Amino acid sequence: MIVAGEVAAALAAGRAVVALESTLLAHGLPSGRNRAAATRIEATVRAAGAVPATIAVLGGQVRIGLTEAELDRVCDPGADLVKLSRRDLGPALALHRDGATTVASTAALAAAAGVAVFATGGLGGVHLSPGGAASWDVSADLDVLAATPVLVVCSGVKSILDIEATVEVLETRSVPVLGYRTGTFPAFYRRESAFPVPWRVDTPAEAAVVAAAHFAEVPGRSGVLLVNPVPAAHEMDAQLHDRLLAEGMALLNRRGVRGRDVTPVLLEHFHTASGGASLAANEALILDNARVAAEVAVALAQRAAE
Ligand code: PSU
Ligand code: MN
């Protein structure tokens, strides 16, 4: 693994570092918007006093912290990066591929590099199957979080997933879920879902003290999920959201879309049919999560120095 000089120096000095994933850049945001978003996300982390470490696999090597040119490569649709979950890392490294890391692989690599805080947009979760039956499509993000000591800041999961089942799996896998200034699990485009979170924290210092206790004193190696709702000004209108979701689900059934194509087809529908509202929410929540993660990383670094 190649750790960028600035990241390595910050880690050695005990300064705050925030890991960032590359799948949301390569596959989550449209290609016209992702490069500018990458710059703004990293700038937001810096403004809050932490060093950003965007993680990807380039030329078969793990990179912890990317240069501007490497961010260009990750965001270039022509580069055609593979989406790498944790299980895909071995093949991508051995076969000298370029790939973007998901929450699962980014969390695993961040922990291995000694980075304890990680900001993203939405977590992967339990998928709904067409017709509503139980689905075996459960993101590896959940299992990795259960076995990796990293604090992940996200805005919950998209309502295209089964939020109730996702919340239940997090409980089963013993992942503590902390609402950041909220009592309910956020639904990405919307600030609230119908499902409560077990714990609430209201400041970065409070999030840091809980994470520190979890990592130092609770047996096992699970991560912590800090859920931060999309900023109110960028929340999608409820009626627009519910209409797009219903239309999207109908579209899936009509076209017989299955498996890994489900999410891209739904997101494409949200992006084209919302008149830009879904993209505005998506970008706003990523930036806010980057800020909160950096503030918590700074609080953790201060605690460790005391
Ligand atoms: N949720 C989003 N946007 C994303 C993702 C999830 O709102 O870009 C990405 C993240 O990288 C997450 C991954 O880790 O999708 C989950 O994919 P899967 O369901 O295939 O595990
Ligand atoms: Mn899946």
Side-chain angles (χ1 to χ4, degrees):
M1 116 179 350
I2 298 180
V3 182
E6 185 192 15
V7 174
L11 289 172
R15 291 202 306 273
V17 177
V18 173
L20 300 163
E21 62 152 307
S22 43
T23 290
L24 74 84
L25 298 175
H27 304 289
L29 294 170
S31 59
R33 300 285 285 258
N34 56 359
R35 186 61 183 85
T39 297
R40 290 179 68 199
I41 295 164
E42 293 209 344
T44 299
V45 169
R46 287 184 198 284
V51 172
T54 302
I55 296 181
V57 173
L58 294 174
Q61 279 174 322
V62 170
R63 302 300 176 97
I64 311 286
L66 303 181
T67 63
E68 296 295 316
E70 287 164 349
L71 284 172
D72 290 346
R73 192 160 145 193
V74 165
C75 293
D76 175 7
D80 203 21
L81 271 71
V82 191
K83 176 179 165 185
L84 304 175
S85 191
R86 187 178 63 174
R87 69 170 186 166
D88 304 306
L89 290 172
L93 299 182
L95 303 174
H96 309 292
R97 301 293 293 273
D98 283 355
T101 51
T102 65
V103 170
S105 47
T106 304
L109 293 169
V115 180
V117 180
F118 164 23
T120 185
L123 187 69
V126 181
H127 279 264
L128 287 160
S129 59
S135 164
W136 281 101
D137 188 353
V138 179
S139 176
D141 292 357
L142 301 180
D143 272 17
V144 171
L145 204 48
T148 310
V150 170
L151 175 94
V152 179
V153 183
C154 73
S155 299
V157 300
K158 288 202 169 93
S159 43
I160 59 176
L161 299 174
D162 186 333
I163 299 180
E164 183 170 25
T166 303
V167 168
E168 289 296 339
V169 170
L170 287 166
E171 180 186 344
T172 305
R173 303 282 201 271
S174 294
V175 176
V177 179
L178 314 177
Y180 191 71
R181 301 182 181 165
T182 185
T184 65
F185 197 82
F188 198 85
Y189 297 126
R190 298 281 308 158
R191 289 177 59 81
E192 297 193 349
S193 69
F195 309 102
V197 288
W199 296 94
R200 172 185 169 130
V201 293
D202 288 286
T203 63
E206 224 173 22
V209 72
V210 172
H214 178 78
F215 294 137
E217 296 179 53
V218 179
R221 291 186 42 88
S222 70
V224 176
L225 194 61
L226 182 63
V227 289
N228 178 38
V230 59
H234 296 279
E235 182 177 35
M236 257 176 93
D237 173 74
Q239 281 178 356
L240 174 64
H241 169 273
D242 294 351
R243 177 168 67 76
L244 295 181
L245 184 60
E247 284 171 6
M249 298 310 269
L251 192 72
L252 294 179
N253 278 325
R254 214 165 46 241
R255 293 201 200 149
V257 179
R258 285 288 158 83
R260 62 150 64 121
D261 296 331
V262 167
T263 304
V265 169
L266 275 169
L267 295 189
E268 171 71 17
H269 180 67
F270 267 77
H271 283 325
T272 53
S274 72
S278 68
L279 201 52
N282 202 334
E283 292 181 351
L285 66 86
I286 294 169
L287 290 175
D288 206 52
N289 294 341
R291 176 186 62 83
V292 169
E295 290 172 357
V296 175
V298 167
L300 271 170
Q302 277 167 358
R303 284 183 55 82
E306 275 162 12

